[in-house]
């Protein structure tokens, strides 16, 4: 997605060989126009998948998911990171090891918001080692619902997230795929579909 790639090049910054900072448009300050285009692109890519719900994770997954849910005319549910919720029997929970924070967090979704017949599109801001997406997928499966696909804004293709998700049988659609962040430079995968 050209508009996203331009934003990454012009407004992103490479923190290290492994981490990209995009708090200028996605993780702190939000470019709402770009989010609208991102959401519409997700909706378009999954329009044949009979999605009934979008599941993301707070906080940074919400903005790019919003317009996708609006376009597909389905509810948007976000998993919460609040620990207190895990004491409650009315939630599905999963443990997620965070690549950036290097700690494990419990995520939870109320049982009220996922049903067996749901076809769920999972959306997240970044794909690194796939732990957030796998945690969300585990919650969908606890509900007996189906993971219809996984939409990622920025995939770091040099990490193993995509292969883990594909090995688990999930369709992954990433709007920008980064081959390398070496030497402070963003290189995208030469892939016609991104
Ligand atoms: P994963 O669970 O795939 O290992 O990592 C994905 C999660 O870690 C995302 O939800 C995102 O919050 C965070 N993350 C991973 N890599 C980066 C990165 O390079 N930059 C930023 N801003 N967040 C990242």
């Amino acid at each position: 997605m050209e508009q996203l790639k331009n934003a990454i090049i012009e407004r992103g910054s490479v923190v290290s060989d492994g981490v990209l900072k995009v708090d200028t448009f996605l993780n702190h300050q939000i470019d709402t126009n770009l989010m609208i285009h991102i959401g519409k692109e997700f909706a378009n890519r999954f329009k044949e998948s009979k999605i009934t719900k979008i599941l993301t994770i707070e906080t940074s997954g919400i903005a790019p998911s919003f317009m996708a849910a609006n376009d597909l005319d389905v509810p948007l549910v976000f998993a919460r990171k609040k620990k207190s919720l895990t004491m409650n029997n009315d939630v599905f929970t999963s443990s997620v090891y965070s690549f950036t924070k290097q700690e494990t967090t419990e995520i939870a979704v109320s049982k009220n918001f996922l049903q067996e017949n749901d076809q769920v599109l999972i959306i997240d801001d970044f794909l690194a080692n796939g732990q957030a997406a796998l945690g969300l997928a585990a919650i969908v499966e606890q509900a007996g619902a189906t993971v219809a696909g996984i939409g990622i804004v920025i995939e770091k293709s040099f990490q193993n997230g995509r292969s883990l998700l594909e090995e688990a049988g999930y369709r992954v659609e990433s709007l920008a795929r980064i081959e390398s962040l070496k030497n402070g430079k963003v290189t995208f995968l030469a892939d016609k579909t991104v």
Side-chain angles (χ1 to χ4, degrees):
M1 192 186 160
E2 271 329 292
Q3 195 182 348
L4 172 62
K5 285 188 185 173
N6 290 339
I8 292 170
I9 297 290
E10 288 161 15
R11 292 183 266 157
S13 56
V14 176
V15 174
S16 66
D17 285 359
V19 177
L20 175 71
K21 193 168 176 181
V22 289
D23 61 356
T24 48
F25 62 89
L26 179 57
N27 290 142
H28 195 0
Q29 173 173 262
I30 293 175
D31 179 337
T32 55
N33 182 270
L34 179 58
M35 293 307 128
I36 287 171
H37 285 97
I38 283 172
K40 286 183 177 291
E41 180 67 24
F42 282 133
N44 192 40
R45 291 192 190 200
F46 288 97
K47 64 177 186 283
E48 313 294 349
S49 302
K50 300 191 168 62
I51 304 297
T52 62
K53 212 154 269 180
I54 293 183
L55 178 64
T56 188
I57 182 166
E58 67 176 355
T59 306
S60 293
I62 298 172
S65 306
F66 184 92
M67 192 48 74
N70 187 73
D71 250 35
L72 291 169
D73 198 18
V74 298
L76 167 59
V77 179
F78 62 91
R80 306 184 72 155
K81 291 175 181 162
K82 290 215 169 108
K83 283 212 162 96
S84 57
L85 271 175
T86 62
M87 306 305 289
N88 186 328
N89 283 335
D90 299 332
V91 293
F92 301 115
T93 63
S94 172
S95 297
V96 172
Y97 179 76
S98 163
F99 172 77
T100 42
K101 296 195 184 119
Q102 310 218 320
E103 62 181 31
T104 301
T105 319
E106 290 287 310
I107 61 169
V109 174
S110 165
K111 291 183 179 172
N112 288 332
F113 303 133
L114 280 177
Q115 277 76 39
E116 257 176 42
N117 55 353
D118 274 323
Q119 293 277 335
V120 182
L121 170 58
I122 291 171
I123 290 182
D124 201 10
D125 59 343
F126 271 87
L127 176 61
N129 293 316
Q131 297 309 298
L134 284 171
L136 291 169
I139 282 180
V140 173
E141 279 163 14
Q142 281 172 45
T146 304
V147 177
I150 299 175
I152 299 291
V153 181
I154 303 172
E155 172 186 320
K156 293 185 295 177
S157 308
F158 54 87
Q159 293 180 262
N160 68 351
R162 174 179 279 264
S163 41
L164 282 178
L165 298 180
E166 286 181 342
E167 275 161 27
Y170 302 128
R171 172 183 168 200
V172 181
E173 290 284 341
S174 304
L175 305 189
R177 301 182 70 190
I178 294 177
E179 184 175 45
S180 160
L181 293 173
K182 287 210 175 104
N183 304 318
K185 186 174 176 293
V186 180
T187 311
F188 293 103
L189 265 189
D191 182 338
K192 297 266 186 292
T193 63
V194 299

